[in-house]
Amino acid sequence: MDPTRLQKLLTRAVPAACVALLVTAVPASAGILFPEAGGGSPGAEDIRTLYAIIFVLGFIVFVGVEGVLIWCLVKYRAKRGRVAAQIHGNTKLEIGWTVGAAVILVFLTIATFVMLPGIKNPAASDIDINGNPIASNAAFASTDQRKPPEGQALNIQVNGKQYVWQFTYPGDEGVFSYTRMYVPVGMTVTLDIESDDVQHSWWIPELGGKMDALPGYTNKTWFKVTEPGTYSGQCAELCGRNHANMYAEVVALPFEEWRQWYDDEAQEIADAKEYAAQERERLEQAEGEDATQGTSGASNTNSNPAE
Amino acid sequence: MALVDTAAPRAARPQIITGKIRPEPKGWTSWITTTDHKKIGILYLWTVAVFFVLGGVEALLIRLQLGAPENTLLSPERYNELFTMHGTTMVFLVVVPVWAGLANYLLPLMIGARDVAFPRLNAWSYWMFLFGGIALYASFFWTPPEAGWFSYVPLSTKEYSPSGGQDAWIFMAHLTGLSSMLGAVNFIATIHNMRAPGMGWGRLPLFVWTILIYSYLIVLAISSLAATVTMLLTDRHFGTNFFDPTQGGSALLWQHLFWFFGHPEVYIFVLPAFGVFSEVLPVFARKPIFGYKAIAAATAGIAFLGLLVWAHHMFATPSATVVLAFFMLSSFVIAVPTGVKIFNWIATLWRGTIEFRVALLYAVGGIGTFLIGGITGIFLAVFPVDWQLTDTYFVVAHMHYVAFGGSAFAMFSALYFWFPKITGRLLSERMGKVAFWLTLVGFHTTFLVQHSAGLSGMPRRIFEYQASAGWHVYNLISTIGAFIIALGVLITIINVVRSLKHGAIAGPDPWKANTMEWFTPSPPPEHNFDAIPRVRSVEPMKDYRRQIEELSGSEQRFEAGKPMAHV
């Protein structure tokens, strides 16, 4: 083959092969060489892409430096009659590798800041709070770091406790759940992460990075699941003896099913509240009867005399 | 100059013939009352060795527990206690004091001084270190601390950790912190004031440079630790609320103050390791160190930047993006001087004649291993990526590549390099090589797969995991690797114990090395030098050898490929 054609072929084939390798190899080796992703959450995907960029650069540096190190060890091993060159240094070389190292890091800095908004800022939701598709995401592009366009996200309170996660959903119904968080597919979910006791850390590997739950602070993160399914994780910050068993699961359901779940929960809570109210009424009536019969002490049940 | 005895038949060595001024004190009382920097150094090193074995056994128990899914070998309580003890022991009682011990022994010899500036302060420093270790281990049989070596609040407060183990941990931090500070002040005073005539800053051995910078870092960083553990102590027992958010305190404050100590701590234990690499490589490559000034400057640069990167341990805490970005960039910048050092070490080997002695193997193995830890550090510095990786086994792997690859390998390199100076006997090279390969292979078997465990979602500090999580293969490999390391360390210990009595006699300068400690007999007399020699370059021993050659006509230089030590 004539050399210019070979060169042309190589200039096209090598980058193409690299891209193909990244596209296919990264998801295939998730969990071995690359972080998890796969819930379709844009944040997690972007983190993995950024990781892959660092991985490629890091791998080149690794092979280069270890290669030269081993080559030096083999090539310059002591032999009879060999004399070591008495070199003390080389200023140009020092400047060269200082600048070289700095250039790689400048590149990584740029890559990070280009990727950052996609990771940090909640993406616009695909559906609104009633499950209707939103026509164009572009219309909701926001400069706000934290809040996606009003009403287009499900905001869930995440509360870490030794050793369980509690999730409180928005709405007057006061729906909550433990360990399993139910979310609709395609909707941006923003999380307000808090703790009641010690420090915990919220993490579902496939949906993105972790965020610490620290008492006295509200930490925020977000995700958007595009594939229905169950995504599991566990508390990532040492929180005591049972830290290993503080699990969390995100169950992503199609909107209709999620709505059904939500309504069922709301109904259950309403029923429970009603039952509790009835019980309270019954008890109060019973107390009232006791009081009329002259039994003392019953008045102390509702108020503390020490106050 | 009458420094050299040219009349004796085997005078072909640079050596001062030292007259015994008074008999050296002997017996156990001489050890507990000593203010001799060499004896204190030896006390330090033996104490560190004991703690290293204890910390290692704890590590093996941790690995045994994690070797199989849903293992019931250890209860969660015991498991938390063990990783707390392991981390605390290795950081506070091994990798930091080991350099205090080695520097104690070597620093005055390397700069041509008769002792450190404040010998009694030095003895106090050692005893505080020992008592700090005892304070921690005294809790071991009752209620050891279980909130991790970093003791995050609120978990470490009275409410969640009521036991005295946490207080033992606080006292350990106070006592070893005091020990480190006293030692550091002593080293700083010694290096600034007691250098041999002619030893300007440009002729200071690189190990001494790193000890100087290590000492400054200790003074700056340990004060933050001392303050913060005191605040924890008063929160626990005296009704203050520094860390209680319900009373206006902040749980995040602990993390800032702790890591303001904790990150410089990494450089405190790794810079002297770099110093060891910088001393060992030129000797066994038979070549001057490449870029002396660049390495010394990089040491200072790393230390300065090391004070500005602490919050990269806190990327997932509630913090503003601008803060995260600052700490990402400062962590990037610190990679540059670190890279410069690695390039200079490789350039030192380049075109040398490399003698594969055990000290060199550990140095090179350490550099190659540390490099991987440096590269994974870049992943962790990028804060969005860190959100995935932090608090997983990826970080466990990273920090062991840095701490074991940097510090522990340098520790072994230093052991093989200076053991003949300290004891007068050589360690067995054959056993050393076996131990080196076991340690190296064991290390990478243990920790390389931990990156993958972390990437597939395994958090740190969990005492058990389900088989369905898919982490058991990684963990089994890791556990096997840990026992290979243990075997390597065991052989090293046997080698040390055996060689103390039966090792080949080393002579004053078995490696034909460059720095002044090799000018003295092995082991050196109590007063080190009869007369302090003048220093004319960064490699004074080369000058002395040349001088002897001229005076005596005997060949002093080392020929490549010949056995180095006179046996």
Side-chain angles (χ1 to χ4, degrees):
Chain A
M1 203 183 284
D2 113 74
T4 49
R5 273 188 64 198
L6 183 71
Q7 209 174 355
K8 254 186 195 170
L9 194 71
L10 278 179
T11 49
R12 283 179 200 166
V14 169
C18 285
V19 171
L21 202 69
L22 274 180
V23 169
T24 55
V26 171
S29 54
I32 300 169
L33 294 176
F34 297 91
E36 306 266 356
S41 187
E45 302 287 341
D46 285 354
I47 287 176
R48 191 159 71 179
T49 309
L50 188 54
Y51 176 100
I53 293 169
I54 307 167
F55 186 88
V56 170
L57 280 172
F59 193 73
I60 292 168
V61 171
F62 167 75
V63 170
V65 178
E66 300 279 9
V68 174
L69 177 63
I70 292 167
W71 176 78
C72 278
L73 289 173
V74 174
K75 171 126 181 130
Y76 298 109
R77 66 191 183 279
K79 277 185 190 162
R80 249 169 228 280
R82 179 176 272 169
V83 180
Q86 299 300 301
I87 311 162
H88 285 87
N90 182 320
T91 310
K92 278 185 192 159
L93 209 55
E94 298 284 351
I95 293 170
W97 57 47
T98 308
V99 172
V103 165
I104 295 174
L105 294 168
V106 168
F107 175 79
L108 284 182
T109 307
I110 294 167
T112 306
F113 284 113
V114 168
M115 304 288 290
L116 183 61
I119 298 169
K120 191 167 175 57
N121 298 346
S125 192
D126 297 343
I127 52 173
D128 67 14
I129 204 72
N130 299 312
N132 301 319
I134 295 170
S136 164
N137 287 342
F140 298 102
S142 166
T143 51
D144 188 334
Q145 292 273 312
R146 283 304 184 184
K147 285 184 189 131
E150 207 56 43
Q152 312 304 335
L154 182 65
N155 183 261
I156 299 176
Q157 301 281 128
V158 176
N159 200 329
K161 301 163 195 281
Q162 283 179 327
Y163 300 95
V164 69
W165 291 104
Q166 186 191 18
F167 311 114
T168 312
Y169 297 78
D172 301 332
E173 298 90 341
V175 172
F176 65 92
S177 62
Y178 286 101
T179 302
R180 296 188 129 196
M181 177 194 283
Y182 292 83
V183 299
V185 170
M187 184 176 286
T188 299
V189 179
T190 55
L191 305 178
D192 288 350
I193 302 165
E194 291 170 348
S195 164
D196 269 359
D197 40 44
V198 299
Q199 186 176 346
H200 306 275
S201 192
W202 164 260
W203 190 35
I204 305 290
E206 287 165 288
L207 301 182
K210 51 184 88 55
M211 276 297 149
D212 291 345
L214 200 60
Y217 292 88
T218 302
N219 214 347
K220 290 168 188 273
T221 188
W222 70 281
F223 61 82
K224 182 172 81 173
V225 189
T226 51
E227 306 282 326
T230 303
Y231 303 93
S232 52
Q234 64 188 99
C235 173
E237 183 63 74
L238 174 68
C239 58
R241 289 182 188 165
N242 214 14
H243 164 57
N245 293 312
M246 185 167 163
Y247 294 107
E249 274 184 352
V250 169
V251 183
L253 303 169
F255 185 82
E256 293 307 321
E257 283 177 43
W258 177 78
R259 190 77 223 184
Q260 190 60 49
W261 171 83
Y262 185 88
D263 291 342
D264 289 351
E265 289 292 305
Q267 190 59 49
E268 225 172 279
I269 287 167
D271 291 349
K273 274 185 184 161
E274 202 182 304
Y275 173 74
Q278 283 170 0
E279 281 294 289
R280 195 178 302 121
E281 208 172 312
R282 197 178 60 78
L283 284 169
E284 275 169 6
Q285 268 176 10
E287 267 174 27
E289 281 162 24
D290 285 349
T292 51
Q293 284 162 15
T295 317
S296 63
S299 61
N300 285 349
T301 49
N302 287 333
S303 65
N304 188 341
E307 276 174 2
Chain B
M1 291 216 302
L3 291 186
V4 179
D5 177 11
T6 48
R10 284 198 65 193
R13 265 187 256 137
Q15 181 179 0
I16 295 178
I17 305 303
T18 54
K20 301 260 176 188
I21 296 157
R22 59 184 163 89
E24 286 190 22
K26 287 199 161 55
W28 65 275
T29 49
S30 76
W31 288 95
I32 60 165
T33 58
T34 188
T35 57
D36 176 10
H37 71 97
K38 296 180 291 298
K39 281 195 163 167
I40 293 171
I42 292 168
L43 287 173
Y44 256 111
L45 293 173
W46 275 113
T47 313
V48 164
V50 170
F51 285 127
F52 182 69
V53 170
L54 287 172
V57 170
E58 287 150 12
L60 291 178
L61 287 171
I62 291 170
R63 283 314 324 164
L64 273 180
Q65 165 69 13
L66 293 176
E70 291 156 69
N71 200 352
T72 51
L73 177 72
L74 297 172
S75 67
E77 184 186 348
R78 289 282 165 276
Y79 184 82
N80 287 9
E81 289 165 359
L82 280 170
F83 72 64
T84 302
M85 293 298 278
H86 169 73
T88 307
T89 303
M90 289 307 194
V91 172
F92 290 97
L93 306 176
V94 177
V95 287
V96 174
V98 72
W99 303 123
L102 200 65
N104 241 304
Y105 196 96
L106 293 171
L107 192 136
L109 292 168
M110 283 179 134
I111 64 170
R114 292 216 163 82
D115 205 320
V116 291
F118 311 112
R120 285 190 224 178
L121 204 65
N122 201 24
W124 187 19
S125 160
Y126 166 72
W127 294 105
M128 286 301 98
F129 159 60
L130 178 68
F131 291 142
I134 290 173
L136 180 72
Y137 272 87
S139 75
F140 198 73
F141 301 102
W142 291 278
T143 50
E146 49 178 308
W149 85 275
F150 45 89
S151 286
Y152 272 6
V153 295
L155 189 60
S156 60
T157 58
K158 190 89 177 165
E159 190 179 354
Y160 299 102
S161 296
S163 86
Q166 192 58 45
D167 298 305
W169 183 88
I170 292 171
F171 295 137
M172 180 284 309
H174 273 140
L175 291 170
T176 58
L178 185 61
S179 157
S180 296
M181 289 243 228
L182 294 171
V185 169
N186 216 341
F187 290 147
I188 292 170
T190 309
I191 297 169
H192 277 276
N193 296 311
M194 297 173 70
R195 303 193 304 279
M199 185 178 275
W201 291 109
R203 292 175 187 170
L204 204 60
L206 282 165
F207 180 72
V208 179
W209 262 114
T210 59
I211 290 299
L212 180 68
I213 306 281
Y214 150 102
S215 304
Y216 277 114
L217 270 181
I218 281 179
V219 172
L220 291 168
I222 303 272
S223 30
S224 179
L225 176 75
T228 189
V229 297
T230 307
M231 288 155 78
L232 180 61
L233 187 74
T234 58
D235 262 19
R236 285 173 63 84
H237 297 291
F238 304 109
T240 58
N241 294 298
F242 292 110
F243 305 120
D244 183 355
T246 62
Q247 303 294 326
S250 164
L252 202 54
L253 178 64
W254 169 270
Q255 296 190 28
H256 278 291
L257 291 175
F258 184 82
W259 289 117
F260 186 78
F261 144 79
H263 202 84
E265 180 84 341
V266 173
Y267 297 103
I268 287 169
F269 69 65
V270 91
L271 285 178
F274 291 173
V276 171
F277 296 153
S278 304
E279 293 299 337
V280 169
L281 293 183
V283 170
F284 294 101
R286 317 309 311 174
K287 216 181 138 231
I289 187 83
F290 193 92
Y292 169 89
K293 281 184 188 164
I295 293 181
T299 306
I302 291 171
F304 174 73
L305 293 166
L307 291 162
L308 297 175
V309 298
W310 76 91
H312 71 207
H313 295 265
M314 302 162 55
F315 280 155
T317 58
S319 305
T321 309
V322 64
V323 174
L324 305 183
F326 173 84
F327 284 100
M328 175 181 86
L329 292 176
S330 61
S331 308
F332 274 1
V333 176
I334 209 165
V336 175
T338 314
V340 165
K341 282 190 171 230
I342 293 177
F343 297 145
N344 275 302
W345 290 327
I346 294 175
T348 303
L349 295 171
W350 176 68
R351 294 184 61 194
T353 51
I354 300 163
E355 308 283 339
F356 284 93
R357 311 303 293 235
V358 180
L360 179 103
L361 288 175
Y362 273 112
V364 171
I367 293 167
T369 307
F370 180 82
L371 175 73
I372 299 173
I375 291 173
T376 53
I378 294 293
F379 288 80
L380 295 166
V382 178
F383 62 91
V385 174
D386 185 71
W387 288 336
Q388 272 289 3
L389 302 178
T390 187
D391 276 320
T392 69
Y393 265 79
F394 191 93
V395 179
V396 178
H398 160 75
M399 55 129 315
H400 281 93
Y401 268 87
V402 173
F404 203 112
S407 217
F409 272 84
M411 222 161 82
F412 290 124
S413 178
L415 173 71
Y416 279 86
F417 190 60
W418 281 297
F419 186 87
K421 175 52 58 191
I422 297 173
T423 65
R425 289 179 186 272
L426 290 158
L427 287 166
S428 154
E429 285 283 312
R430 194 182 298 166
M431 280 175 92
K433 280 180 182 163
V434 173
F436 165 75
W437 285 109
L438 284 172
T439 310
L440 186 78
V441 170
F443 175 83
H444 289 277
T445 310
T446 310
F447 293 106
L448 196 62
V449 288
Q450 290 191 359
H451 293 107
S452 297
L455 288 167
S456 55
M458 182 172 173
R460 302 174 77 170
R461 303 170 186 128
I462 53 171
F463 79 96
E464 66 169 5
Y465 51 90
Q466 307 299 314
S468 57
W471 303 325
H472 51 283
V473 178
Y474 300 138
N475 278 291
L476 183 62
I477 293 171
S478 201
T479 301
I480 292 167
F483 280 87
I484 301 174
I485 300 177
L487 189 60
V489 173
L490 185 68
I491 292 174
T492 306
I493 294 169
I494 294 169
N495 196 359
V496 167
V497 172
R498 209 195 57 102
S499 300
L500 280 174
K501 278 264 158 59
H502 307 290
I505 301 294
D509 186 15
W511 316 122
K512 301 255 175 188
N514 303 328
T515 39
M516 274 207 296
E517 72 273 28
W518 305 102
F519 195 87
T520 62
S522 304
E526 200 182 10
H527 59 289
N528 296 351
F529 303 93
D530 275 359
I532 309 288
R534 174 163 279 279
V535 177
R536 279 161 293 174
S537 76
V538 71
E539 295 167 323
M541 284 302 283
K542 274 189 187 164
D543 306 335
Y544 303 149
R545 274 196 287 272
R546 199 171 301 124
Q547 193 182 354
I548 291 162
E549 223 165 71
E550 283 163 9
L551 288 171
S552 68
S554 61
E555 175 70 38
Q556 288 296 312
R557 266 165 293 185
F558 177 76
E559 215 177 300
K562 270 188 165 178
M564 297 175 87
H566 338 256
V567 178

